[in-house]
Amino acid sequence: MKKWISLLLFLSFYVSPLMAQEEVELFGYFESQIMGAKIKSDFNQLYSNKLRVDIKSGFYENVTFAANFDYITYHGKTEWNVLDFLSSGITSKVSQDMESYYVIPFSDRNFLDNAYIRLTFENLDLTVGKQQISLGTGYVWNPMDVFNIKDVLDPTYEQPGHNAVRMDVPLGSIYTLTALYSPEDTWRNSAKLFRFKGRISHFDYSLIAIEKLWRFHDYTQLDTTDTAFPELPEKRRLLGASTAGELLGLGVWAEYGYNKMENSKDFHELVVGTDYTFDFQTYIMVEFYRNTLGKTDFEQYNINDWMRQFAAEQKAISRDQIYSFIQHPATDFLSMGLSSIYSISDNSLALVPTFNYSFSVNVDIMAYLNFNFGREGKVFAKNTGNGGLLRARIYF
Amino acid sequence: MKSIIISWLVILLLATVSFSQQLSGEDIIQKVNELFNPQTSYGKAMMTIVTTSGSNRTFVYESWSKDKGEKNLVRYLEPSRVKDQATLMLNHADDIWMYFPRTQRVRKLATHAKKQKMQGSDFSYEDMGGGDVFITDFSPKRLEDEKMEDHDCYKLELTRKPNVDISYSRLIMWIIKENFVPIVIDYYDEDDPDLSEKRLVQSDIRTIDNIPTAMKVVMYNKNDNTQTEIELLEVKYNIPLDDEMFTERGLKK
C-alpha cells in the first residue's frame, strides 16, 4: 500500500506538472505475467505485475530528458532455490546449513530504471544519467556487452539502465566515436568504454575497448559475516569487434570479445549469426556462440558455474551453443515460432515454442513453453524445469 | 487566322498522340520512378489495417526522403506500442536499420527484411518503395492502353529480372497518361505469374508543390481478404533536409 502511495506521489508531484507543459510525453505499459516450471512432481508458478511509466521531454531545443519508473509486484512462488534444478552430483556437495543461501528471491520493487538528460551539440551528443547501454550485433548473446546478459528464452526484453556519462561524436555520416564512463565507488573500479563505429560497403562494423570491474561471487562459501556469498571483484579488460551486413542475400553478423582478466584466466567469446525471410513470410535465424569460459564436459560444471548463470553473472556455462529460431505469421496478428538452444559441448537441447498475438493495436499477448531434452547434469537437462511463460502487455 | 489556329491544334494533338504512342515501357516506368522519387519529401500518413474480422487498426507515421529516394527515414508516432520506432533506408533500401526505442538498440537488417509485413499490414517494406525497384528489379513491357478508374492509362507489364530477389514474379501497372501516376498495380505471386496476390489502388490525386500526389492508397490482399489504407495527412516536396537526419544519430532522435 505504501508503495502504491509512493507511486501516486511520484506521478502527482513530478509527472503532472511536467504534463502541463506541452513538450512532455507520458507513456508506458502495464504487464501481467505468469511463469511456471516443473520441479520434481510440482508445477511451480510465479506471477508478476509490472507498471512502467515513461516520461520524455524536450524542455529546450537540443535538450532531452527521459525517465521511466518501474513498479513490480510478485506473487505465488516468490523464492526459488537453484539447488532444486541441479543434479544430485552437484547438490550432494552442498552442506545442509548452506542450502537456504541458494534461494533467489523475487521481491516487490519500485525503482527509477532510466533517468537521463541528453544534450545535443552540433558535433556531439552528451547523455548523462541512468541509461540503457546496448552493445553488439548478436541477437541472443553479445560478447561486447559487459553491462547486460540477455535471457536466452526472452532475448528481446528490455535491459536495465546503468549510471553513465556518455558522449557520441559523429565523424561525418558514417563514423561515430563513443566514449562512456560508468561510475562506481572509485575511478579504478568504474567502467570505461571507447567504441568506434563505421561502415564498409553494406557492412557496419565497430571496434571497442572496455574496462570494467566484474563482480561475480564465490558460491561455495559464505563471507566473514556468514550472511552472503563473498564477492570476487576482478578487473576485466575487453577488446572486441563486431559487424553486421548482408552476404549472398542472407543477413549476417559477427561479434568477438577478448577478455583479459586481472587474476583469472583470460577468455574470449564469439558470436556468428545469419537470418533470412522467405517470400512466404517465414523468418529463420541461426546464431552460434562460443565462450571459452564455458566448460566442454558437463561433468566439470560446479555450483559456481550454475549460480553464476542463474544470477546472470556469466552468459553461458557450456562452451559452444547454437540458437535457432523460425517464425511464421499464421494470421495478420498471430505469429507462431519455435526456437531451440542446443549446447554442442554437452549435447543437450531446449525447444521453445513461441506464440505472439497482437490482441489489439496496443495489447500484445506473448507465450512460450520450454522443453529440455538432456541428461541430468547437462545445461538443458530434463530436471532443470520444463515450463513456460504467459505475458499480456497493454501500452498506453 | 482561325484556320491557322485549328491547324496548330491539330498538329499539337497529333504530336501528343504520337508522343504518347512513341513512349516505350522504359520511358513510362522512368517517368513513374521520377514521380515516386522527388529530390526531397516529407509526409505524415495514417495507415489503417482492416483485418479479416473487419476490425480496424490505425498507425500514424512520419517519413522523410532525400536524394530522389536514395535516403529514407520512417518514424512511428502512434500507437504507443510502436511509438518512436524508426526505420532508416539508405542506398535505395540496400542498407536498412531499425531502431527499437524500448531497448534503445539499432539493428542492421539485410534486404530480405523488406519482405516482412509492415506492422501486420498488407504492405511489406518492399511495397512501400524506398528506391527505384521498378527500374532495377523489373523489365517493362508496354501493353495496349486501357481505361482504368475513369482515367486513360498506359498499361505496363513489369517482369522480374533474372536473379533478382523480390517477392513478385510480375506487376501489371495502369498509369494515368496525364500525370504518370500509377492508379492501379496488380502484384503477382512469386512462383505463379498467373496468380494475382494483391492490388494497389491510388486515388484522390492532388497536385502538391507541382507534383501529382495520390492522397489515398489502398492495398487489397486477395489471398487473405484483408486491406490496408494509407491516407496522407500532410505532404511536402523539395524541402531542405539535413543529411544528418539520415544517419544512426538521426534514426535515434
Side-chain angles (χ1 to χ4, degrees):
Chain A
M1 186 64 188
K2 198 175 164 188
K3 287 170 182 171
W4 279 108
I5 292 169
S6 333
L7 175 63
L8 286 172
L9 286 173
F10 172 81
L11 292 173
S12 341
F13 282 101
Y14 291 95
V15 179
S16 302
L18 291 172
M19 285 293 291
Q21 301 180 42
E22 283 182 9
E23 309 86 5
V24 178
E25 300 169 58
L26 180 67
F27 53 99
Y29 63 76
F30 171 72
E31 175 185 282
S32 192
Q33 177 175 294
I34 175 169
M35 186 196 81
K38 189 166 181 281
I39 302 172
K40 296 182 179 107
S41 57
D42 283 336
F43 192 78
N44 295 270
Q45 297 173 147
L46 171 68
Y47 305 86
S48 65
N49 295 300
K50 175 179 174 182
L51 176 67
R52 175 180 163 124
V53 180
D54 287 83
I55 52 174
K56 189 178 174 188
S57 168
F59 290 120
Y60 309 101
E61 199 183 348
N62 300 327
V63 180
T64 306
F65 167 68
N68 75 276
F69 182 83
D70 286 8
Y71 186 92
I72 310 172
T73 65
Y74 293 100
H75 315 273
K77 185 175 171 61
T78 53
E79 292 189 336
W80 296 67
N81 195 318
V82 172
L83 300 179
D84 291 338
F85 295 92
L86 304 184
S87 67
S88 52
I90 301 279
T91 55
S92 60
K93 291 174 191 160
V94 176
S95 65
Q96 270 194 333
D97 54 337
M98 279 183 67
E99 281 180 5
S100 60
Y101 289 93
Y102 294 94
V103 169
I104 296 180
F106 289 86
S107 309
D108 294 356
R109 295 187 292 155
N110 57 88
F111 58 102
L112 201 60
D113 188 22
N114 290 278
Y116 61 83
I117 295 169
R118 179 169 296 145
L119 307 174
T120 305
F121 299 94
E122 192 180 343
N123 296 319
L124 67 95
D125 290 335
L126 184 67
T127 310
V128 181
K130 209 172 174 198
Q131 55 193 287
Q132 288 195 62
I133 302 170
S134 302
L135 301 167
T137 52
Y139 181 77
V140 181
W141 297 282
N142 293 108
M144 283 172 29
D145 193 346
V146 297
F147 294 90
N148 308 291
I149 291 183
K150 292 175 181 170
D151 179 351
V152 290
L153 299 178
D154 197 5
T156 57
Y157 202 85
E158 69 216 18
Q159 298 294 334
H162 302 271
N163 287 305
V165 179
R166 174 180 177 146
M167 191 169 66
D168 293 289
V169 185
L171 307 167
S173 60
I174 292 178
Y175 305 105
T176 308
L177 191 65
T178 299
L180 181 143
Y181 177 73
S182 181
E184 294 275 348
D185 52 347
T186 64
W187 167 264
R188 189 182 180 278
N189 290 346
S190 300
K192 299 112 191 165
L193 175 154
F194 290 97
R195 183 179 67 176
F196 178 76
K197 277 185 90 172
R199 195 186 321 147
I200 297 176
S201 184
H202 297 300
F203 277 84
D204 283 1
Y205 68 89
S206 72
L207 305 169
I208 200 164
I210 308 174
E211 182 180 274
K212 188 178 189 303
L213 197 68
W214 194 0
R215 295 182 185 278
F216 56 91
H217 292 79
D218 179 0
Y219 291 100
T220 59
Q221 56 182 309
L222 295 174
D223 64 12
T224 48
T225 60
D226 272 355
T227 55
F229 296 112
E231 198 176 66
L232 299 173
E234 187 175 350
K235 184 70 62 96
R236 175 186 187 180
R237 292 187 175 92
L238 180 143
L239 284 176
S242 72
T243 185
E246 184 170 338
L247 201 62
L248 305 172
L250 299 170
V252 290
W253 59 90
E255 192 177 333
Y256 175 79
Y258 177 77
N259 295 272
K260 182 157 182 54
M261 303 301 295
E262 191 174 26
N263 305 319
S264 50
K265 199 177 164 189
D266 298 350
F267 67 99
H268 64 87
E269 296 173 81
L270 170 72
V271 155
V272 182
T274 183
D275 69 351
Y276 189 71
T277 307
F278 291 96
D279 294 320
F280 42 90
Q281 295 281 312
T282 298
Y283 172 78
I284 57 165
M285 174 208 289
V286 180
E287 190 171 276
F288 167 80
Y289 173 57
R290 163 165 282 194
N291 180 346
T292 59
L293 204 60
K295 308 276 172 67
T296 52
D297 180 356
F298 76 96
E299 290 182 352
Q300 296 171 343
Y301 300 156
N302 57 41
I303 189 71
N304 266 335
D305 295 325
W306 285 106
M307 280 302 290
R308 285 170 190 168
Q309 174 164 281
F310 280 108
E313 293 178 356
Q314 187 175 324
K315 292 188 184 95
I317 66 171
S318 77
R319 181 157 296 187
D320 296 321
Q321 36 263 304
I322 286 184
Y323 175 90
S324 62
F325 179 57
I326 181 164
Q327 187 176 51
H328 182 76
T331 69
D332 297 352
F333 303 110
L334 172 65
S335 290
M336 309 289 283
L338 177 69
S339 60
S340 71
I341 310 133
Y342 175 59
S343 166
I344 301 169
S345 304
D346 73 9
N347 191 29
S348 64
L349 172 75
L351 284 181
V352 187
T354 59
F355 160 100
N356 281 286
Y357 180 56
S358 173
F359 180 78
S360 73
V361 74
N362 272 324
V363 179
D364 285 342
I365 296 171
M366 182 274 245
Y368 67 74
L369 298 170
N370 68 290
F371 302 104
N372 292 352
F373 300 90
R375 274 175 50 198
E376 188 177 350
K378 296 188 173 184
V379 175
F380 302 112
K382 285 178 204 165
N383 63 320
T384 53
N386 293 319
L389 178 143
L390 174 65
R391 175 187 298 151
R393 186 184 276 186
I394 179 165
Y395 297 86
F396 56 86
Chain B
M1 184 63 188
K2 195 176 166 186
S3 63
I4 292 172
I5 292 170
I6 289 170
S7 301
W8 270 113
L9 284 174
V10 168
I11 289 166
L12 193 64
L13 182 66
L14 286 173
T16 309
V17 169
S18 165
F19 170 74
S20 83
Q21 282 175 348
Q22 280 170 7
L23 284 177
S24 66
E26 282 84 1
D27 297 331
I28 296 167
I29 203 63
Q30 187 66 46
K31 286 188 176 293
V32 171
N33 194 57
E34 283 168 15
L35 191 70
F36 268 37
N37 294 310
Q39 188 60 39
T40 62
S41 70
Y42 162 77
K44 184 176 177 182
M46 183 163 71
M47 179 169 78
T48 306
I49 305 169
V50 181
T51 65
T52 39
S53 61
S55 60
N56 288 1
R57 293 199 178 183
T58 302
F59 296 81
V60 179
Y61 62 87
E62 288 181 297
S63 62
W64 297 261
S65 79
K66 191 171 183 182
D67 297 343
K68 297 187 173 180
E70 191 262 310
K71 299 180 173 113
N72 273 283
L73 176 66
V74 177
R75 179 171 289 119
Y76 285 94
L77 300 174
E78 293 175 29
S80 304
R81 183 169 62 85
V82 294
K83 186 179 158 45
D84 289 337
Q85 212 176 88
T87 307
L88 172 66
M89 292 184 264
L90 298 183
N91 303 318
H92 294 292
D94 279 347
D95 290 299
I96 309 170
W97 294 264
M98 278 192 95
Y99 172 61
F100 302 94
R102 296 216 175 270
T103 52
Q104 295 192 7
R105 189 170 277 272
V106 174
R107 190 163 167 80
K108 172 99 165 71
L109 303 178
T111 49
H112 63 72
K114 287 191 283 184
K115 295 174 184 173
Q116 293 170 5
K117 289 183 170 186
M118 192 174 160
Q119 301 297 343
S121 74
D122 296 299
F123 287 91
S124 62
Y125 289 96
E126 197 170 62
D127 299 332
M128 296 300 285
D132 44 12
V133 284
F134 294 146
I135 307 269
T136 55
D137 293 3
F138 292 96
S139 301
K141 179 183 166 191
R142 185 170 170 184
L143 306 177
E144 196 168 325
D145 295 353
E146 276 185 3
K147 216 170 175 71
M148 176 60 81
E149 306 274 325
D150 291 332
H151 296 280
D152 288 324
C153 292
Y154 299 115
K155 186 177 177 184
L156 290 191
E157 181 185 35
L158 303 180
T159 310
R160 182 179 52 196
K161 288 180 180 171
N163 304 320
V164 167
D165 188 17
I166 196 155
S167 305
Y168 308 107
S169 56
R170 66 185 185 119
L171 311 178
I172 299 288
M173 197 181 274
W174 287 263
I175 298 145
I176 301 174
K177 289 184 175 179
E178 188 189 342
N179 53 25
F180 290 94
V181 172
I183 192 83
V184 173
I185 306 175
D186 280 349
Y187 297 80
Y188 286 78
D189 184 79
E190 149 98 23
D191 300 314
D192 182 356
D194 295 324
L195 179 63
S196 174
E197 257 185 18
K198 299 197 280 194
R199 166 168 280 200
L200 179 131
V201 178
Q202 302 209 88
S203 59
D204 189 11
I205 295 157
R206 298 181 207 169
T207 301
I208 296 170
D209 299 333
N210 295 320
I211 295 177
T213 305
M215 301 300 285
K216 189 174 163 185
V217 182
V218 184
M219 180 71 94
Y220 298 92
N221 189 321
K222 296 176 183 177
N223 291 341
D224 301 339
N225 199 26
T226 54
Q227 67 181 65
T228 301
E229 177 184 313
I230 295 177
E231 186 186 346
L232 291 182
L233 305 173
E234 194 180 345
V235 193
K236 291 176 196 166
Y237 294 113
N238 299 320
I239 49 170
L241 292 177
D242 196 336
D243 268 339
E244 192 182 280
M245 188 171 206
F246 301 93
T247 62
E248 184 173 325
R249 190 186 192 197
L251 178 68
K252 291 165 87 170
K253 268 185 184 164

